[in-house]
Amino acid sequence: MKIKLENNKVFFENKGSKKEIHPFWLRERIDGVNFVDKGTQQRLFDPTTLKKNIEIKNLKLSNEFLEVSFNDGTKTKILIHNILKEFSNVNDIKSIERIKWNSSLKNLNNYEFNNNIFEQKKMYEALINFYKFGFVIFKKVPTENDFLVKFANSIGSVRRTNFGEFFNVKSKPNPNDLAYTSLPLAPHTDNPYRNPVPCIQILHCIENEVKGGYSTLVDGYTVTEELKKDYPDFYKILTEIKVRYQFIDKDIFLENWAEMIQLDEDGNFKQVRFSPRLDFVPLMEKEKLELYYSARNKISELYNSDKFRIEFKLAPGDLLMMDNHRLLHGRTEYNANEGNRFLQGCYIDYDSTEGKLKHLKKKFNYEVLF
Ligand SMILES: [Fe+2]
């Protein structure tokens, strides 16, 4: 990648392709105390009020800087490095490559908690691993009631739902969700009926005295890629058909239509939803439904297969942070008469983890996000 000048124009050159940079784009990025607030990096002018026919009067390019003067009497000196950065994705969370994993995964991404961790390099590393693997476990987190809310708010902000700021996971009489029983919970994603679906779930173990009650995780990304490779027709239909997810309680009716495997604008993996107690497939032609049901059965079989699932027991003080758009979670059965099992859960969204990660990157002067 490099910047070149030709006929009083600025060009950006990358892998054999050469594109002119619009003069207005450079004018908009004009630096200096009269134009940009140093602390916030916010503009002190409104670019929509500038004249449109901005032209370059003079240009000077050195190893480090591009100096430009414009026809409205302004001038700027921009670090070449900063221009190139805008054309690369090194600052983008998407540049952190997901690592596919299955039941053979041994590294459970454990990080020991301390009170200052939120501003430490350790948190930066933990968040990078969160984006690589979709989960991370903090150990020795104080087991005070609702400490997880403090934890969540130290990364970003709790995403409050109709269940409140946080929820308690323990068996209770007349539960409104299977999570509040001692029955096994098959791998699922949480709250597919919300719009948007909570991005990250935090589960904090306060007590776990029972023999069973193991936590389970499955990488939805790995399973999706496997399905795409081995069963392309199933993959296709699950990425195309929007199904209805709903949750009805005595005072709320939540509903959202979405694909079981959602792709981004470039056709790449974005999100999985799987909660076979809450999905309603739309009425389609019989043949299409036939294919859809086969596809749903296959992905369910893969999600529930030993090949993809990891199992581990959360100890008091363990705090699991998992990507609810990528991973499925569940738990094995336990006997409530053996003792207490008490977990607290809450949600945060990606702006929390991204915001914290980028803040730490800036703080420690890291060049790239991995
Ligand atoms: Fe859940």
Side-chain angles (χ1 to χ4, degrees), residues 9 18 29 50 80 182 230 236 278 313 324 370:
K9 291 175 180 167
K18 194 173 91 178
R29 274 156 187 77
L50 297 180
I80 304 284
S182 55
D230 296 340
K236 189 167 181 287
L278 310 164
K313 191 156 186 175
N324 188 47
F370 43 82

Side-chain angles (χ1 to χ4, degrees), residues 11 42 61 69 79 102 107 132 158 171 183 186 198 209 213-214 234 262 276 282 290 294 323 337 356 359 362 365:
F11 290 88
Q42 287 179 14
L61 185 67
S69 57
L79 266 172
N102 57 26
N107 171 20
K132 283 184 176 171
V158 159
S171 39
L183 295 170
E209 298 165 351
Y214 281 73
F234 291 169
Q262 192 180 346
E290 187 72 26
S294 303
D323 188 338
N337 297 322
K356 176 59 87 178
H359 158 73
K362 187 166 160 253
N365 233 343

Side-chain angles (χ1 to χ4, degrees), residues 167 177 179 185 188-191 201 277 322 324 329-330 347:
F167 47 89
D177 196 290
L185 278 181
H188 64 280
T189 60
D190 267 15
N191 298 191
Q201 183 177 180
R277 292 173 284 124
M322 58 190 152
N324 188 47
H329 63 279
Y347 301 110

Side-chain angles (χ1 to χ4, degrees), residues 88-152:
S88 70
N89 64 358
V90 290
N91 281 317
D92 195 332
I93 298 290
K94 280 186 188 156
S95 70
I96 306 171
E97 219 170 307
R98 289 188 199 98
I99 295 176
K100 285 189 277 181
W101 54 264
N102 57 26
S103 60
S104 64
L105 181 73
K106 291 286 171 287
N107 171 20
L108 293 185
N109 300 311
N110 288 345
Y111 291 87
E112 193 167 317
F113 176 83
N114 70 68
N115 285 324
N116 302 317
I117 195 169
F118 302 102
E119 285 297 321
Q120 291 174 341
K121 289 181 179 174
K122 199 194 258 192
M123 179 55 78
Y124 178 85
E125 285 166 29
L127 291 172
I128 293 284
N129 268 344
F130 168 79
Y131 279 100
K132 283 184 176 171
F133 294 92
F135 75 100
V136 64
I137 297 171
F138 295 94
K139 312 288 280 185
K140 297 189 181 168
V141 178
T143 52
E144 294 157 27
N145 184 43
D146 80 7
F147 189 86
L148 87 165
V149 174
K150 266 192 220 164
F151 186 97

Side-chain angles (χ1 to χ4, degrees), residues 11-134:
F11 290 88
F12 167 72
E13 217 178 56
N14 187 30
K15 291 177 188 159
S17 90
K18 194 173 91 178
K19 284 180 182 146
E20 190 191 344
I21 299 179
H22 198 298
F24 199 94
W25 191 92
L26 293 165
R27 173 61 179 85
E28 207 170 61
R29 274 156 187 77
I30 195 164
D31 213 345
V33 286
N34 295 327
F35 300 104
V36 176
D37 178 73
K38 283 292 137 203
T40 61
Q41 294 290 305
Q42 287 179 14
R43 267 187 217 118
L44 298 170
F45 64 98
D46 175 355
T48 63
T49 60
L50 297 180
K51 58 181 195 175
K52 257 187 85 188
N53 57 338
I54 289 287
E55 282 170 30
I56 292 170
K57 263 179 79 181
N58 280 306
L59 280 173
K60 203 173 139 193
L61 185 67
S62 64
N63 276 345
E64 259 193 283
F65 293 99
L66 172 69
E67 288 177 64
V68 195
S69 57
F70 300 96
N71 60 344
D72 65 353
T74 58
K75 51 177 135 185
T76 189
K77 193 172 174 182
I78 314 175
L79 266 172
I80 304 284
H81 176 72
N82 286 345
I83 303 178
L84 297 179
K85 232 166 54 180
E86 298 243 16
F87 290 95
S88 70
N89 64 358
V90 290
N91 281 317
D92 195 332
I93 298 290
K94 280 186 188 156
S95 70
I96 306 171
E97 219 170 307
R98 289 188 199 98
I99 295 176
K100 285 189 277 181
W101 54 264
N102 57 26
S103 60
S104 64
L105 181 73
K106 291 286 171 287
N107 171 20
L108 293 185
N109 300 311
N110 288 345
Y111 291 87
E112 193 167 317
F113 176 83
N114 70 68
N115 285 324
N116 302 317
I117 195 169
F118 302 102
E119 285 297 321
Q120 291 174 341
K121 289 181 179 174
K122 199 194 258 192
M123 179 55 78
Y124 178 85
E125 285 166 29
L127 291 172
I128 293 284
N129 268 344
F130 168 79
Y131 279 100
K132 283 184 176 171
F133 294 92

